[in-house]
Amino acid sequence: MPDDTARRAARLLHHRKAGLAPGEPIAPPITPATTFHLPANGTGAYGYARAGNPGWSELEAQLSLLEEAETVVFPSGMAAISAALFACLKAGDRVILPADGYYVTRVLATDFLRGLGVTADFLPTTGYDTADFSGAALVYMETPSNPGLEVCDISAVAARARAAGARVVVDNTTMTPFLQRPLDLGADLVVAADTKAPGGHSDLLAGHVAGRDPALVARVRDWRRLSGATLGPFEAWLLHRGLETLELRLERMCASARTIAERLAAHPAVRDLRHPGLPGDASHRLVGSQMANGGFLIGFTLADAGVAERFLSACPYLAQSTSFGATHSSAERRARWGDAVPEGFIRLSVGIEPVEELWRGISGALPG
């Protein structure tokens, strides 16, 4: 583990220590309050729950250690994405979005941003490395993309976007701050769905935006307060707890994903396998520089929709669910959501099960 990653992982677990008085709890308490005492002769740290909560403060301090940047938490990944877009865009602006990224971001752009006078252009992730960003106000990347796991060079794209006068936002959901650091590579803002690996237990919705420009982050924070896109105190507590084991879970998930991907690639029923950790994968070029490793997601294609659905039903160790990054492995046939993928395409999220037992379940469910 690189020294800076180890330092962040250790600080994450002890970030409350310096502020604790004797007898105070090591774990942050849950504060389910909407109002706070505000005497006429002074103001307190908190006044109304839409503007702040002690649980948010603890969580944002923790996430800020990970991102090494000011962080604002939200009640879902899409709430975080929306805040970043609305903080950066105005009527008459043009935004570049990934054509092969998370589909809900595209729906937000076509159904709402366009109606407010924002032009949205869609590019495949692999096209960002050579695209002309002239006239764009915002370049939004998702790398690796979900679900295809395509990548683009954040540093090179950010430099060209800034030269064209555009801001840069990167969706880092598939990697997390432990595996990829967009702000270090030139992004103005990073967004993420902490519902996935950071929470890690399929029991909360959350997201965050992080950045190093105080004025821009202030706009993001104002959007949260004015839109009412606020995280509940219990969800904040759950995410704070989940983050404490993120580095440990990622170590096993990523190592297991590499093993599973190698074996799937050799299976006769599997076509077009994608995992950035494999040397032959088109996205491997950025592993070791931009990405710490290949992550925990795998994409592959079976013969057709029926074969894919039978595989999903037959494997005892795959939850059939539409999220990823949990302690349990999960998989789904993404074509049913309208992604531009083959009918038999599977997105597999590798969890923390013992890898040999997981592989026995997967291999036993694949068509022979």
Side-chain angles (χ1 to χ4, degrees), residues 33-215:
T34 54
T35 54
F36 300 83
H37 180 53
L38 291 175
N41 62 349
T43 58
Y46 305 98
Y48 186 58
R50 183 163 46 82
N53 178 281
W56 298 0
S57 299
E58 296 287 356
L59 177 57
E60 288 175 347
Q62 197 182 37
L63 284 164
S64 293
L65 288 173
L66 269 184
E67 297 282 9
E68 295 185 321
E70 186 178 358
T71 304
V72 185
V73 295
F74 286 89
S76 68
M78 277 309 303
I81 290 168
S82 299
L85 293 175
F86 279 97
C88 292
L89 295 168
K90 64 183 185 305
D93 282 346
R94 174 173 168 250
V95 59
I96 308 295
L97 293 165
D100 53 347
Y102 184 46
Y103 76 98
V104 183
T105 308
R106 296 194 299 276
V107 174
L108 175 66
T110 55
D111 288 7
F112 287 92
L113 291 179
R114 282 180 176 170
L116 298 174
V118 174
T119 301
D121 292 338
F122 303 107
L123 289 176
T125 297
T126 54
Y128 276 69
D129 288 329
T130 57
D132 181 3
F133 298 131
S134 299
L138 180 65
V139 174
Y140 181 106
M141 288 177 267
E142 182 184 301
T143 178
S145 62
N146 171 29
L149 302 178
E150 302 286 2
V151 299
C152 57
D153 186 327
I154 296 172
S155 181
V157 172
R160 289 174 39 249
R162 289 193 170 186
R167 281 179 168 148
V168 176
V169 174
V170 177
D171 185 332
N172 199 35
T173 298
T174 57
M175 284 282 109
T176 82
F178 275 126
L179 303 181
Q180 183 171 261
R181 305 191 57 74
L183 295 174
D184 294 348
L185 298 170
D188 294 288
L189 293 175
V190 62
V191 299
D194 297 314
T195 306
K196 315 306 189 198
H201 293 76
S202 299
D203 55 9
L204 70 97
L205 284 172
H208 76 268
V209 179
R212 294 169 180 163
D213 178 341

